[in-house]
Amino acid sequence: MNVLQVKQRFGIIGNSPLLNRGLEVAIQVAPTDISVLVTGESGTGKEIIPQVIHQLSARKHKEYIAVNCGAIPEGTIDSELFGHEKGSFTGASGSRQGYFEVANGGTIFLDEVAELPMQTQVRLLRVLETGEFIRVGSSKVIKTNVRVVAATNENMHQAIASGKFREDLYYRLNTVPIQLPALRNRQEDIHLLFRKFAHDFADKYRMPAVKLTDEAVILLSQYSWPGNIRQLKNLVEQLSVIETSREIDEYMLASYLPKPTEKVPILQSQANAENFSERELMYKFLFDMKKDLTDLKKLVLEVLTQGIGVPLNADQTEVLNRFYSEVQTNGLSSYETSRALPTLSDHQISITKPVDNFEHHEEFEESLSLEDREKELIKKALEKHRGKRKYAAAELGISERTLYRKIKEFNLGFL
Ligand SMILES: Nc1ncnc2c1ncn2[C@@H]1O[C@H](COP(=O)(O)OP(=O)(O)O)[C@@H](O)[C@H]1O
Ligand SMILES: [Mg+2]
């Protein structure tokens, strides 16, 4: 079967060379038992690839099971995948076959594979390498012959670096990679997909299909589509149902497109991933510099208030006075005080005793403590996202890995 036939049979729309390449690879590896890892942003159409592979293989008459690893609770996923024996955990009233047993001779699609908990990753690696597994609560080794296709929209290298995903398992799953392009990288297909969905929804809702003006087509093709084909499909459905006019102009269309700045945080965090460490270093540098400057000003003030024992000439006094008035108007970061600073009169060199104003200023510690601020922000972010570190990290603009480190460092693990 060639790419064109596969597209027709599976209802896959598009002529982008990147899409064609992905389909070619799928066709080539289908008859083998090689593991395939499908990557691509959310909504790029990853779910069709394992189906193509299964249908074009000798396994097509056996089971095809799609498992969304991100949707199964951590406590039951081992039992779902590998089965369990009666009484192996609370509520296990009978024994049960897992997907790896049911799909013997067939194909399992592990969607969102990066979400698999560690202990499941260990079991999965074993079944991939030896074809053997053990039901939860059992000690009997069971043999199975399953072909695995996995998919993810995560950056797997990042997941490995942060200790979330086993490197050996990644290489085992990724024997052949298939990468699906983001919709913004296949602009030539956007209008094509629009028309296909417009006709589908016209059928579904029994009304004429919506169509776009030329200007609207331009807008459609230039939009960034952070949610890819899924977002486009939803948009066409909304237009079909909500708009009374069947001709959509660029203004109507624009009102359905979220502004590019409203991207979902996860995409932003991925895009900026490389810049994190550099940005963090930069911040640290700036804060250190600010601290130095503050120390310097403090020193000058000390000299000023405690006296240096040598008479100053008119020029020197003027310089100091200027510095003084600047501090009074703009404040001094570590000495910000509502109380007025003493003024220097001509030729007056020392304000004999240390000025009380500067002795104990409460804000002194706080404004210098980057650490306290950081801790406070991290706490807030974790609370806001109810402990979901992924989202807290995205909001803080740091990597998940850095967040883990900081949680440890600040003892915030209880949040
Ligand atoms: N090439 C395509 N032609 C037509 N529809 C597509 C195509 N790719 C994806 N879709 C549709 O877009 C939606 C999202 O695809 P899906 O495979 O669920 O994305 P992913 O798993 O990558 O997030 C589905 O409704 C799917 O049918
Ligand atoms: Mg999906």
Side-chain angles (χ1 to χ4, degrees):
M1 206 178 264
N2 63 29
V3 170
L4 192 66
Q5 290 166 322
V6 165
K7 282 183 190 167
Q8 280 167 352
R9 176 159 162 206
F10 292 89
I12 301 169
I13 303 295
N15 294 313
S16 147
L18 296 165
L19 172 70
N20 290 348
R21 179 75 197 129
L23 292 175
E24 266 165 27
V25 176
I27 295 167
Q28 266 179 329
V29 296
T32 71
D33 283 338
I34 294 174
S35 307
V36 175
L37 181 65
V38 188
T39 56
E41 289 176 14
S42 176
T44 47
K46 294 186 289 296
E47 281 165 43
I48 200 75
I49 299 289
Q51 294 176 36
V52 170
I53 291 175
H54 178 72
Q55 290 301 330
L56 267 52
S57 76
R59 298 173 177 271
K60 67 178 174 192
H61 298 298
K62 295 285 175 67
E63 291 285 330
Y64 170 85
I65 300 179
V67 186
N68 185 340
C69 303
I72 303 176
E74 199 169 323
T76 56
I77 190 150
D78 280 359
S79 143
E80 298 261 335
L81 291 175
F82 304 103
H84 64 250
E85 292 301 337
K86 187 175 171 180
S88 55
F89 54 86
T90 329
S93 48
S95 65
R96 204 202 100 138
Q97 286 192 328
Y99 301 139
F100 273 87
E101 219 167 319
V102 177
N104 192 7
T107 308
I108 288 184
F109 170 42
L110 297 175
D111 200 2
E112 295 185 37
V113 73
E115 301 299 319
L116 281 182
M118 265 298 159
Q119 95 267 359
T120 314
Q121 292 181 30
V122 177
R123 284 178 184 265
L124 179 60
L125 183 64
R126 175 160 183 211
V127 75
L128 287 169
E129 289 195 323
T130 62
E132 290 175 355
F133 68 95
I134 298 172
R135 284 184 183 178
V136 176
S138 160
S139 54
K140 199 175 116 221
V141 173
I142 302 177
K143 280 250 165 217
T144 188
N145 170 10
V146 171
R147 202 260 181 86
V148 171
V149 180
T152 182
N153 56 13
E154 298 254 334
N155 179 334
M156 292 301 277
H157 295 293
Q158 217 168 295
I160 292 166
S162 63
K164 241 187 93 189
F165 205 83
R166 289 181 67 110
E167 193 172 16
D168 46 10
L169 178 59
Y170 167 72
Y171 286 114
R172 188 65 191 69
L173 291 170
N174 195 32
T175 315
V176 168
I178 292 181
Q179 194 180 4
L180 290 183
L183 192 53
R184 77 189 77 85
N185 295 329
R186 40 186 290 208
Q187 276 194 356
E188 66 270 47
D189 289 344
I190 300 179
H191 193 204
L192 217 56
L193 282 156
F194 182 97
R195 280 181 305 212
K196 141 98 169 135
F197 295 140
H199 283 105
D200 288 352
F201 291 120
D203 280 352
K204 181 172 170 190
Y205 297 112
R206 295 169 194 284
M207 46 166 75
V210 285
K211 57 194 270 263
L212 298 173
T213 63
D214 291 349
E215 291 77 16
V217 172
I218 294 172
L219 178 62
L220 189 85
S221 311
Q222 283 173 356
Y223 180 66
S224 64
W225 300 106
N228 295 292
I229 301 176
R230 181 177 294 114
Q231 184 188 6
L232 176 60
K233 193 170 174 177
N234 290 343
L235 174 134
V236 183
E237 181 159 27
Q238 287 176 33
L239 283 174
S240 307
V241 175
I242 297 169
E243 291 297 332
T244 45
S245 162
R246 296 289 89 185
E247 189 173 75
I248 310 295
D249 65 20
E250 73 269 36
Y251 301 105
M252 284 151 121
L253 179 60
S255 70
Y256 287 82
L257 298 175
K259 286 183 220 80
T261 48
E262 291 171 19
K263 268 196 217 163
V264 276
I266 181 125
L267 291 175
Q268 271 177 353
S269 80
Q270 268 169 9
N272 293 339
E274 298 88 44
N275 301 334
F276 282 158
S277 50
E278 215 172 300
R279 200 166 69 187
E280 278 169 358
L281 281 176
M282 191 75 149
Y283 277 140
K284 188 167 172 351
F285 175 67
L286 283 174
F287 275 111
D288 285 348
M289 217 161 80
K290 189 175 161 205
K291 186 171 181 297
D292 285 349
L293 190 68
T294 306
D295 287 346
L296 203 65
K297 287 182 179 175
K298 188 177 151 197
L299 195 72
V300 172
L301 270 174
E302 250 159 37
V303 170
L304 266 175
T305 55
Q306 292 170 17
I308 48 173
V310 184
L312 296 180
N313 64 26
D315 285 350
Q316 288 167 326
T317 308
E318 201 203 309
V319 169
L320 284 178
N321 268 332
R322 232 187 292 135
F323 174 71
Y324 240 53
S325 61
E326 197 200 306
V327 170
Q328 276 183 301
T329 37
N330 300 331
L332 188 60
S333 48
S334 61
Y335 281 97
E336 275 185 271
T337 169
S338 51
R339 281 178 275 180
L341 290 161
T343 48
L344 282 177
S345 58
D346 274 1
H347 305 290
Q348 182 188 355
I349 357 133
S350 62
I351 302 165
T352 44
K353 64 181 173 78
V355 183
D356 297 336
N357 302 13
F358 308 136
E359 270 196 0
H360 306 286
H361 198 281
E362 282 164 17
E363 273 175 35
F364 183 74
E365 279 303 321
E366 197 196 74
S367 63
L368 276 188
S369 177
L370 177 55
E371 196 175 298
D372 286 350
R373 285 283 157 91
E374 224 184 344
K375 192 169 163 182
E376 194 183 302
L377 279 176
I378 288 173
K379 241 174 104 174
K380 272 193 188 148
L382 284 168
E383 278 159 10
K384 176 171 169 194
H385 294 284
R386 273 165 288 153
K388 294 235 164 59
R389 293 176 179 183
K390 186 164 155 183
Y391 300 113
E395 171 132 20
L396 289 162
I398 57 174
S399 63
E400 250 185 285
R401 197 179 177 200
T402 306
L403 181 59
Y404 276 107
R405 187 163 51 72
K406 301 233 179 251
I407 286 172
K408 239 177 145 183
E409 188 181 321
F410 298 141
N411 276 322
L412 293 172
F414 59 91
L415 287 169

